[in-house]
Amino acid sequence: MAEDMTFLSRNEVLSLEECARLVKIFVSLGVTKVRITGGEPLVRKNAQWLFEEIGLLTDLKELVVTTNGSQLSKQAAMLKKAGVKRINISVDSLQADRFKTITRTGDLNKVLAGIDHAIATGFDGIKLNTVLMRGTNDDETVDLVQFAIDKKIDISFIEEMPLGDVNHARDDTYVSNAETLSSLQSKYPLLPSTKHTGGPAKYWRIADTKTSIGFISPHSHNFCESCNRVRITCQGELYLCLGQEDKVELMPLLRAHPNNDEPIKQAIIDSMAVKPKGHDFDLKRATPAVVRFMSHTGG
Ligand code: SF4
């Protein structure tokens, strides 16, 4: 059962000004890295203003974006000018029909053109994010890595996370990163890497190439103990853990206190006391621990 697309009314979504205000508040509380993700962040009207506003924050060390790549041909230069350092692009297949099936609307050629545009624009890092699903795209592992090598960019394999009700247990489509790593080690000279981008990925470098492979392994190599991430949805919901439903509603506070950030700051500080220790993902469960889909919070 695919995720139905429902569009929220304007009032149910944070305005760009409210988004910028929230990021400023988090940065004032010590946050140094902000990732803008989606759904697809680059289709939001006037997204440029938000990127430029956030890019002006001098205490922010890193502004990064996760995108489906469809808008990069038009927006890569804007992102660079706004101060975006690194871009992650979600690509689960290099076969146009399969790509369309997996993304439901995606045009692979548009995304490939966007990737080339981003490479030509020049960022500190460009990385493909790929979720392998057994029987769907796991036969493309080497093709995807070879594509990254040819483009001189990085790639990360993210173990499927059971978010959203897809009407079946995930363990029948789950591909562990341990399996992916060993299959790639038989094909490429992989060297352990100390590379770290502040996220949960563990990197391996492919010798004699510019490419590193990241492995984000919530199941086979749980990384929750070092987690320092929270997520805010476009509705102002502060999710304390991707794998739990615990959240704090910040939109009512923003709108009740348009000129006073203290109540929002206090709510954020208090929420850290209830941040869950980790996820309860269980691939064998037919009904997911987390009912909302990944696109609700972004990865
Ligand atoms: S599952 Fe939750 S605790 Fe674990 S890394 Fe993700 S957000 Fe952090």
Side-chain angles (χ1 to χ4, degrees):
M1 171 166 56
E3 173 194 358
D4 296 331
M5 290 249 212
T6 53
F7 294 92
L8 300 161
S9 72
R10 204 180 160 80
N11 197 38
E12 292 174 285
V13 174
L14 292 176
S15 67
L16 292 177
E17 291 75 12
E18 287 170 328
C19 293
R21 183 181 168 203
L22 262 184
V23 173
K24 283 176 190 155
I25 290 172
F26 272 94
V27 171
S28 73
L29 290 170
V31 165
T32 57
K33 176 181 171 184
V34 168
R35 174 179 300 284
I36 307 284
T37 182
E40 175 47 42
L42 300 179
V43 295
R44 173 107 187 226
K45 200 160 168 263
N46 296 333
Q48 174 170 353
W49 178 88
L50 181 61
F51 281 99
E52 289 171 349
E53 199 64 16
I54 297 173
L56 294 172
L57 299 173
T58 48
D59 293 339
L60 184 66
K61 292 205 178 62
E62 252 202 322
L63 174 56
V64 293
V65 64
T66 297
T67 169
N68 64 17
S70 63
Q71 308 301 310
L72 281 177
S73 293
K74 285 185 281 181
Q75 309 258 26
M78 176 278 282
L79 293 173
K80 171 91 178 178
K81 193 158 162 279
V84 169
K85 295 270 185 297
R86 290 182 294 108
I87 297 183
N88 289 359
I89 305 155
S90 308
V91 176
D92 291 338
S93 176
L94 294 170
Q95 300 173 14
D97 294 345
R98 186 183 280 178
F99 183 88
K100 193 167 188 76
T101 307
I102 294 172
T103 58
R104 288 179 301 141
T105 57
D107 173 345
L108 179 63
N109 291 328
K110 209 173 168 189
V111 172
L112 296 180
I115 292 172
D116 287 341
H117 216 89
I119 293 168
T121 304
F123 290 88
D124 294 2
I126 296 175
K127 182 173 73 153
L128 303 182
N129 275 354
T130 299
V131 176
L132 293 178
M133 296 157 280
R134 197 175 305 288
T136 298
N137 62 345
D138 56 324
D139 58 348
E140 290 189 66
T141 309
V142 170
D143 296 347
L144 286 153
V145 169
Q146 196 54 50
F147 175 83
I149 292 171
D150 299 342
K151 297 287 179 186
K152 297 185 175 56
I153 60 176
D154 292 339
I155 181 168
S156 268
F157 291 102
I158 306 169
E159 289 178 342
E160 190 180 0
M161 292 184 223
L163 271 79
D165 191 352
V166 291
N167 229 359
H168 65 81
R170 301 289 176 111
D171 64 345
D172 49 3
T173 55
Y174 165 63
V175 178
S176 85
N177 274 342
E179 182 186 332
T180 304
L181 175 59
S182 73
S183 72
L184 290 171
Q185 280 171 324
S186 63
K187 170 84 182 156
Y188 297 105
L190 298 187
L191 307 166
S193 164
T194 55
K195 181 181 177 118
H196 201 4
T197 56
K202 295 267 179 284
Y203 285 96
W204 291 71
R205 192 171 59 74
I206 306 178
D208 309 322
T209 75
K210 295 253 184 272
T211 294
S212 292
I213 306 177
F215 293 96
I216 299 174
S217 316
H219 308 293
S220 62
H221 191 89
N222 188 304
F223 41 73
C224 294
E225 75 280 355
S226 60
C227 178
N228 59 358
R229 287 174 295 284
V230 294
R231 289 161 178 88
I232 305 172
T233 70
C234 64
Q235 297 171 276
E237 303 156 304
L238 170 61
Y239 278 94
L240 304 169
C241 169
L242 183 64
Q244 302 286 358
E245 295 289 12
D246 307 65
K247 65 178 178 180
V248 176
E249 302 283 356
L250 297 178
M251 184 193 276
L253 289 171
L254 285 168
R255 294 182 177 176
H257 308 280
N259 306 310
N260 176 10
D261 291 345
E262 290 315 312
I264 297 106
K265 285 187 182 178
Q266 198 52 53
I268 294 167
I269 292 166
D270 296 346
S271 73
M272 293 306 122
V274 291
K275 181 172 167 43
K277 292 260 168 301
H279 64 72
D280 295 326
F281 293 148
D282 176 354
L283 293 161
K284 295 196 173 354
R285 277 179 63 159
T287 53
V290 176
V291 177
R292 65 176 195 274
F293 280 87
M294 184 67 86
S295 59
H296 185 85
T297 46

